[in-house]
Amino acid sequence: MNALVWRGTAVAVTKVPRPGRAAGRALIDVAYAGICGTDLHICDGTHPRARPGLVIGHEFAGRLAEPVDGLEAGTPVTVEPLLWCGRCAACRHGMRHVCDRLRMVGIDEPGAAAEQVSVPAELLIPLPAGLDLRHGAFVEPLAVAVHAVRRSRLRLGEVVAVVGAGPIGLAVAICARLAGASEVLVAETAPARRDLARRLGFTVVDTVDLAARRQAGEPTCDVLLDATGAAPVAAGFAGWVNPGGRIVLVGVHSLPAPVDLQRLTFSEIEVIGTRVYLREDLEVAIRLIATGAADPEPLLTWTVPLSAAAGAIDLLRDGSQVKVLIEVGR
Ligand SMILES: [Zn+2]
Ligand SMILES: [Zn+2]
């Protein structure tokens, strides 16, 4: 079958063997797979766990290729792509999403940018009949946003700032509005993403404006969600939040970053870490899409066939696109 494979230097569509049948696993005919920042890290060779020969793709939707666990062949599904160890303290204490040895489909096992993918059957999440499978492929990134906003303890009427208007940042902004923010400020530098944020009804700002407002003693935001993981954001964000506010880390900082701890202390600002999602967050994301409460459509800015997927990776680098989907089937 055809698959998008990271070969250690470049990514290419390559013939690979179909996944075999195995006890306890489910075989999925992939319909759509999303590409995200993690995939860019893999293709840059900067992901610490990915090994050459990897089929990428951890956010996807498709249909069961054969019956499993009482679900019929053809059932539309997405998956919780997390592979936890089940033995560490986090796993034993109901926190398997922060497992010490957390692994992921599409990073540590062959992923879904391929005609078929095999996953542990317990990871399957059936999708409502009739849900657009393009939207089904956005359940995973939306669940990241659901998890982050729930972790923020956002209260009705609070002002939220989101730094970064990629797919995760915009999904966070959408979820913050749904969760009761009175205003959602979005800081982003890429023009196409700023335009989209504005079209979605968010107030586009620059982080220097937040800093200036704080220095003038004016309110800025009660909750700031950092969807960049960029060191300059960490260097500044303590100065962009109202006293008593919360800063939620959504993007991954791969290196230690200097943070103004004095400002966090003097203003009693909380910093909250987040990692992926719980099963519940994925189920909430599906409900938000199925009911129309959250519409992924404006964020799905480009869809390419699997045959052209290698070039799609580059489309993501300059910030001109938001979510790029690979269409494998339908
Ligand atoms: Zn991702
Ligand atoms: Zn574990």
Side-chain angles (χ1 to χ4, degrees), residues 24-26 69 80 82 84 96 119-125 279:
R25 295 188 71 98
D69 290 355
E80 176 182 14
L82 307 182
W84 49 85
R96 64 190 194 187
V119 299
E122 63 180 325
L123 301 182
L124 289 175
I125 307 178
R279 175 67 67 114

Side-chain angles (χ1 to χ4, degrees), residues 110-236:
E115 292 173 44
Q116 288 190 324
V117 61
S118 160
V119 299
E122 63 180 325
L123 301 182
L124 289 175
I125 307 178
L127 292 169
L131 190 130
D132 185 339
L133 292 183
R134 296 170 68 246
H135 298 178
F138 197 72
V139 166
E140 194 264 4
L142 185 59
V144 171
V146 169
H147 188 63
V149 170
R150 287 184 154 204
R151 292 270 298 149
S152 79
R153 310 192 310 278
L154 176 63
R155 285 177 301 147
L156 181 65
E158 287 188 314
V159 176
V160 168
V162 180
V163 188
I168 296 292
L170 288 173
V172 165
I174 289 168
C175 288
R177 182 158 59 194
L178 283 170
S182 55
E183 187 177 15
V184 180
L185 315 174
V186 172
E188 166 64 50
T189 53
R193 291 177 171 190
R194 284 172 73 96
D195 284 350
L196 179 54
R198 214 173 272 122
R199 284 206 303 282
L200 291 170
F202 304 118
T203 308
V204 175
V205 297
D206 295 311
T207 54
V208 289
D209 301 331
L210 297 176
R213 270 202 243 172
R214 269 300 310 148
Q215 270 153 19
E218 293 165 18
T220 53
C221 61
D222 306 298
V223 176
L224 180 140
L225 297 110
D226 172 19
T228 69
V233 175

Side-chain angles (χ1 to χ4, degrees), residues 13-324:
V13 177
T14 308
K15 292 274 182 202
V16 300
R18 278 180 190 276
R21 288 207 174 90
R25 295 188 71 98
L27 197 58
I28 299 167
D29 290 323
V30 178
Y32 294 92
I35 304 174
C36 86
T38 302
D39 299 313
L40 296 186
H41 284 302
I42 293 171
C43 296
D44 287 341
T46 55
H47 195 286
R49 302 201 310 275
R51 295 288 164 261
L54 174 70
V55 179
I56 65 170
H58 56 269
E59 42 189 76
F60 58 98
R63 295 179 188 281
L64 283 180
E66 47 195 33
V68 64
D69 290 355
L71 297 171
E72 291 172 23
T75 301
V77 291
T78 188
V79 306
E80 176 182 14
L82 307 182
L83 307 163
W84 49 85
C85 79
R87 293 183 300 275
C88 72
C91 283
R92 293 198 316 271
H93 300 153
M95 298 270 289
R96 64 190 194 187
H97 69 298
V98 293
C99 168
D100 274 344
R101 290 181 283 273
L102 190 67
R103 296 160 67 249
M104 207 160 173
V105 175
I107 299 175
D108 306 275
E109 279 197 2
E115 292 173 44
Q116 288 190 324
V117 61
S118 160
V119 299
E122 63 180 325
L123 301 182
L124 289 175
I125 307 178
L127 292 169
L131 190 130
D132 185 339
L133 292 183
R134 296 170 68 246
H135 298 178
F138 197 72
V139 166
E140 194 264 4
L142 185 59
V144 171
V146 169
H147 188 63
V149 170
R150 287 184 154 204
R151 292 270 298 149
S152 79
R153 310 192 310 278
L154 176 63
R155 285 177 301 147
L156 181 65
E158 287 188 314
V159 176
V160 168
V162 180
V163 188
I168 296 292
L170 288 173
V172 165
I174 289 168
C175 288
R177 182 158 59 194
L178 283 170
S182 55
E183 187 177 15
V184 180
L185 315 174
V186 172
E188 166 64 50
T189 53
R193 291 177 171 190
R194 284 172 73 96
D195 284 350
L196 179 54
R198 214 173 272 122
R199 284 206 303 282
L200 291 170
F202 304 118
T203 308
V204 175
V205 297
D206 295 311
T207 54
V208 289
D209 301 331
L210 297 176
R213 270 202 243 172
R214 269 300 310 148
Q215 270 153 19
E218 293 165 18
T220 53
C221 61
D222 306 298
V223 176
L224 180 140
L225 297 110
D226 172 19
T228 69
V233 175
F237 60 30
W240 305 339
V241 181
N242 295 338
R246 280 98 67 208
I247 293 170
V248 182
L249 305 178
V250 193
V252 177
H253 287 267
S254 48
L255 292 171
V259 173
D260 184 349
L261 296 177
Q262 187 187 65
R263 159 84 178 133
L264 296 181
T265 304
F266 281 6
S267 298
E268 290 201 342
I269 294 166
E270 233 179 291
V271 178
I272 300 170
T274 67
R275 188 171 188 190
V276 288
Y277 31 69
L278 309 167
R279 175 67 67 114
E280 186 187 352
D281 299 314
L282 290 150
E283 291 171 1
V284 168
I286 292 170
R287 279 205 298 280
L288 293 178
I289 294 173
T291 57
D295 180 12
E297 194 57 42
L299 309 190
L300 309 178
T301 52
W302 198 257
T303 302
V304 293
L306 179 59
S307 57
I313 299 281
D314 292 321
L315 274 177
L316 267 181
R317 290 187 197 277
D318 63 3
S320 60
Q321 300 297 332
V322 178
K323 177 54 71 185
V324 175

